[in-house]
Amino acid sequence: MLLLPSAADGQGTAITHALTSASTLCRVEPVGRWFEAFVKRRNRNASASFQELEDKKELSEESEDEELQLEEFPMLKTLDPKDWKNQDHYAVLGLGHVRYKATQRQIKAAHKAMVLKHHPDKRKAAGEPIKEGDNDYFTCITKAYEMLSDPVKRRAFNSVDPTFDNSVPSKSEAKDNFFEVFSPVFERNSRWSNKKNVPKLGDMNSSFEDVDAFYSFWYNFDSWREFSYLDEEEKEKAECRDERRWIEKQNRATRAQRKKEEMNRIRTLVDNAYSCDPRIKKFKEEEKAKKEAEKKAKAEAKRKEQEAKEKQRQAELEAARLAKEKEDEEVRQQALLAKKEKDIQKKAIKKERQKLRNSCKIEEINEQIRKEKEEAEARMRQASKNTEKSTGGGGNGSKNWSEDDLQLLIKAVNLFPAGTNSRWEVIANYMNIHSSSGVKRTAKDVICKAKSLQKLDPHQKDDINKKAFDKFKKEHGVVPQADNAMPSERFEGPYTDFIPWTTEEQKLLEQALKTYPVNTPERWEKIAEAVPGRTKKDCMKRYKELVEMVKAKKAAQEQVLNASRAKK
């Protein structure tokens, strides 16, 4: 019962009575259905028109219930109550023409009508035979109402509605009449959507946004359809907990498989529609034309930009040319001015020389030139004597240093660098072995001669190197590529290789010799590849030189050690 609130202050209704003597004012309490409607609208903050719409909706539902026409199921009396899972519950209640759109009120009214007509007591009173227990077909009516009155069970039965068409049109079917074929299919499958306001397929005039929204919705379709109604095993019939768990596991696996098949069916439907949709083809052609237009516009803009750059470059080149011509003209004018000044200076010097010749006596000038020449020759003779003294001070046999001995000394100094054990004894021993003069040199002789060579004039060093190189050409018959070969950094001597080996090349050669041992096939080809800029012949020659140098060092060091041991 609805309890109306009391009237607020100032909301009382005044009624005036017409009396014979005088008018009397009375206060009354507002009540009735109109006041009830007013309170509802005020509490819900709704207008009178909205309330009228709701009232009309309720009246329409009541009128629909009153006008509901049940369709008698002709096979009702032949149904087997034990096979209730395979029966059409909507047809049993006479709602086969309404099906999933039936409201709960209509289901309840249909059940009530079926009970009044097919109840066993009424049929028994009419003289019809009645089966005992649950074997009577009335059990099917009761089971149908049980399934459809429960929202969960009804959804399970609606998911496997036997009248629903699960077919998917093929691409060939929708080749000429796409919208007529696919529109009803999407319409009937939209009932499975969890989301309301399912977008329509539309027509040929639909915009790109509408078409894109439609296919986005169906490619991400959220379906509530489930297949628990088709479970083959009922867990209520299990005898123990383990058996019930096993039944639940089997049912879950079966439902998941059927759900997967359902989603594949929806995906196939959407894929077929997308591939046959003429609007998609139109949009792709428009997009392609748009891209082509943009590409052409970009190419045109790029061409114009290149033309502008080319014009600018030509203008810059022209400006640079004019500036260079101007600069060359200025340089030429400056050169002309300098030449004029030089000519003026030459004329002035010529005049001064003429005056000098006229003013000085020729004999005095010649005498002075002769004296200066004699003094210069005397200084040169003295310098050569000093040089001979400095080069000749080295002990016994030091004054007999031939050109071959000097070159052998230079070679030995380069062969045994600083840091060699007993370096000068080793160099002296090396010279005694390889010298052709037969003169025995001591370490002191070698040190003195090496120091004197370092003090020589650069021109004298060049003469020694040139003589050694001429001798090398005569012995080996080699034509050098360059006349001005640079001497070694350690000691000035002639080059024996046309292209000297750098430190980096020497490291690469040593590493390659370690990487490719003697038994490696095509060893020297691989070593030459590891040293850029060197051929196989260069690498083999350098290797032989290194072997000879090592052998010479070892031999000289052994002789020095033997000599020192003999003295002891």
Side-chain angles (χ1 to χ4, degrees), residues 75-143:
M75 306 297 292
L76 177 61
K77 295 181 179 182
T78 62
L79 293 177
D80 183 7
K82 295 180 181 179
D83 194 21
W84 63 269
K85 220 171 190 183
N86 294 325
Q87 71 182 17
D88 187 352
H89 299 304
Y90 286 112
V92 169
L93 294 181
L95 299 173
H97 60 293
V98 184
R99 306 201 68 79
Y100 71 94
K101 295 181 181 179
T103 63
Q104 288 294 329
R105 186 176 295 178
Q106 290 174 339
I107 293 172
K108 188 174 182 180
H111 176 254
K112 183 178 180 180
M114 296 300 289
V115 169
L116 292 174
K117 185 176 180 180
H118 297 282
H119 196 275
D121 294 341
K122 287 205 171 192
R123 288 190 289 116
K124 187 176 182 181
E128 293 183 14
I130 305 298
K131 294 182 180 181
E132 296 181 358
D134 294 337
N135 295 325
D136 191 70
Y137 72 88
F138 185 75
T139 306
C140 296
I141 298 175
T142 306
K143 196 67 179 178

Side-chain angles (χ1 to χ4, degrees), residues 171 174-182 201-206 208 211 215 271-286:
K171 297 179 182 179
K175 188 174 182 181
D176 299 326
N177 49 352
F178 171 78
F179 296 100
E180 289 78 4
V181 173
F182 278 97
L201 180 61
D203 52 17
M204 198 64 192
N205 298 323
S206 299
F208 174 79
V211 177
Y215 283 108
D271 287 341
N272 290 350
Y274 188 86
S275 60
C276 298
D277 197 337
R279 300 170 299 181
I280 299 298
K281 297 178 182 178
K282 183 183 72 172
F283 293 149
K284 286 183 178 180
E285 291 175 358
E286 293 176 355

